[in-house]
Amino acid sequence: MASKKVIAVFGATGAQGGSVARALLDAKHFAVRALTRDVTKPSALALKDLGAEVMKCDLDNKVSLVTALKGVYGAFLVTNFWEHLSQEKEVRQGKLVADLSKHLGLKHVVFSGLENVKKLTGCQLAVPHFDGKGEVEEYFWSIGVPMTSVRVGAYYENFSNWWKPVKASDGDYYTLELPMGDVPIDSISVADAGVVISNIFNSPEEFIGKAVGLSAEALTMQQYADILSKSLGKDIRDAKMTPEAYEKLNFRGAKELADMCRFFQKKPDRDIKLTHQLYPKIRSFQQFVSENLEAFKDI
Ligand code: NAP
């Protein structure tokens, strides 16, 4: 029997890459080379148990990248802006993988991209964790790498960590602060995104050269709040904050996230229908919350 084609998965110990690695292993069409800077960490060992080849690789180390990408059919690339908060570094890492993919002749790269908001809005908005990924997307295609960009909607998981309901100071209720007004925001469980991406790898002729927006559903903040209230038995409301008020909040990145919401209010293209075609059993937010009550126990 011919041996399986290999897909190198970056970020395999994390949320997106881990989801992709598990989905590919589960589908059994491809072999998985799971890449990490630390092959001894539990999430790497867990992938080894599932049948992945686990290999040490650092996106900042060209030699390790060449070893990781040599001989593979394809790769899934996610870069983690939030680890270093540097658009320049994220772009450098992405372009290096693009150059090596070209040089080593990879047949299909799926890159976790996003829009270059700054360029699209003529510098009116700036969202560095989007803009760098947009620049990398463009670079991949400009040098002729067969690449599909997946623009992943907001993770449902964000609602149990970064976007967790905040206790109100003036009463026994909680609020969701993200300033979206009444505009729905696209979302998906990152744990489900891997199956969608695994199916994209199965149809290269359909997806190479395209950007695909992944979304299981789009809800308003009030709708997210209603689902959380019902499932968690708490009073959770949309704070109805404006982007102008949000950007004055006292944390680094408040302006960036306010601009991200301003961009989301322009409804960038996320394809709910296609996402469901690629994974018919993809979960709704309601399903996700009821299956993950433990993650919300601190609220
Ligand atoms: P995560 O769970 O924190 O995982 C990050 C992964 O990146 C880890 O597996 C880590 O591997 C790997 N990594 C980081 N630096 C590396 C390096 N120098 N070399 C090799 N591997 C490296 O993060 P994630 O959620 O999967 O992905 C984060 C990205 O998703 C961000 O850029 C974010 O903008 C994007 N995103 C997030 C959302 C959202 O709603 N949260 C939506 C769309 C896109 P090791 O530590 O094992 O080496």
Side-chain angles (χ1 to χ4, degrees):
M1 205 175 89
S3 56
K4 287 179 190 168
K5 292 173 182 165
V6 178
I7 293 182
V9 178
F10 289 92
T13 57
Q16 275 193 50
S19 178
V20 171
R22 281 187 291 277
L24 288 168
L25 288 165
D26 203 39
K28 298 184 170 62
H29 298 143
F30 295 99
V32 171
R33 179 174 290 174
L35 306 175
T36 170
R37 289 165 294 181
D38 178 3
V39 295
T40 66
K41 57 163 73 167
S43 45
L45 297 175
L47 289 170
K48 196 172 175 187
D49 284 347
L50 291 172
E53 171 195 15
V54 176
M55 190 181 279
K56 190 173 165 73
C57 178
D58 186 337
L59 282 162
D60 297 318
N61 179 327
K62 187 174 174 182
V63 175
S64 76
L65 283 168
V66 171
T67 309
L69 294 176
K70 206 174 247 173
V72 302
Y73 159 83
F76 170 74
L77 173 64
V78 58
T79 48
N80 188 10
F81 175 88
W82 299 110
E83 184 174 303
H84 44 72
L85 306 176
S86 164
Q87 181 179 337
E88 192 191 334
K89 181 165 171 146
E90 184 165 46
V91 169
R92 191 169 59 241
Q93 292 176 337
K95 287 186 174 178
L96 182 54
V97 174
D99 285 335
L100 294 174
S101 301
K102 172 83 178 168
H103 181 69
L104 296 167
L106 269 65
K107 300 288 185 288
H108 192 185
V109 176
V110 177
F111 169 56
S112 182
L114 284 167
E115 292 86 350
N116 187 340
V117 175
K118 194 169 181 180
K119 190 171 171 187
L120 283 173
T121 62
C123 297
Q124 280 180 13
L125 303 175
V127 189
H129 74 284
F130 275 53
D131 301 341
K133 292 180 180 76
E135 190 181 333
V136 173
E137 276 185 356
E138 208 172 304
Y139 185 74
F140 262 108
W141 287 318
S142 73
I143 62 168
V145 177
M147 185 278 273
T148 306
S149 178
V150 284
R151 296 171 175 165
V152 180
Y155 303 170
Y156 294 160
E157 285 82 351
N158 293 349
F159 287 95
S160 66
N161 43 65
W162 302 27
W163 301 349
K164 199 163 129 170
V166 176
K167 180 96 175 71
S169 53
D170 62 346
D172 192 17
Y173 65 98
Y174 296 77
T175 58
L176 295 178
E177 295 191 323
L178 216 63
M180 284 298 298
D182 293 327
V183 181
I185 179 169
D186 282 283
S187 58
I188 184 170
S189 167
V190 66
D192 294 341
V195 176
V196 181
I197 292 165
S198 151
N199 284 326
I200 286 175
F201 274 115
N202 290 337
S203 300
E205 61 297 328
E206 192 179 335
F207 292 109
I208 281 173
K210 291 185 183 159
V212 181
L214 305 189
S215 171
E217 65 179 337
L219 302 174
T220 61
M221 291 316 275
Q222 187 58 55
Q223 288 172 316
Y224 289 111
D226 289 345
I227 290 169
L228 287 167
S229 297
K230 219 167 150 189
S231 309
L232 307 180
K234 301 265 165 86
D235 182 356
I236 300 172
R237 309 173 187 173
D238 176 10
K240 296 197 183 300
M241 205 180 275
T242 61
E244 291 68 32
Y246 189 90
E247 71 189 17
K248 292 195 185 91
L249 293 178
N250 190 20
F251 71 93
R252 188 178 167 180
K255 170 79 170 81
E256 172 167 359
L257 293 182
D259 270 2
M260 178 187 79
C261 289
R262 290 182 175 105
F263 178 65
F264 281 148
Q265 289 189 5
K266 296 177 187 290
K267 298 193 182 168
D269 192 20
R270 303 286 180 264
D271 197 333
I272 296 177
K273 193 170 159 210
L274 177 65
T275 305
H276 279 256
Q277 277 166 5
L278 286 165
Y279 186 11
K281 287 187 184 159
I282 199 158
R283 287 173 295 176
S284 64
F285 184 64
Q286 166 74 72
Q287 269 174 296
F288 172 81
V289 176
S290 52
E291 289 173 18
N292 290 279
L293 291 175
E294 185 64 17
F296 295 92
K297 69 178 187 323
D298 295 339
I299 296 162

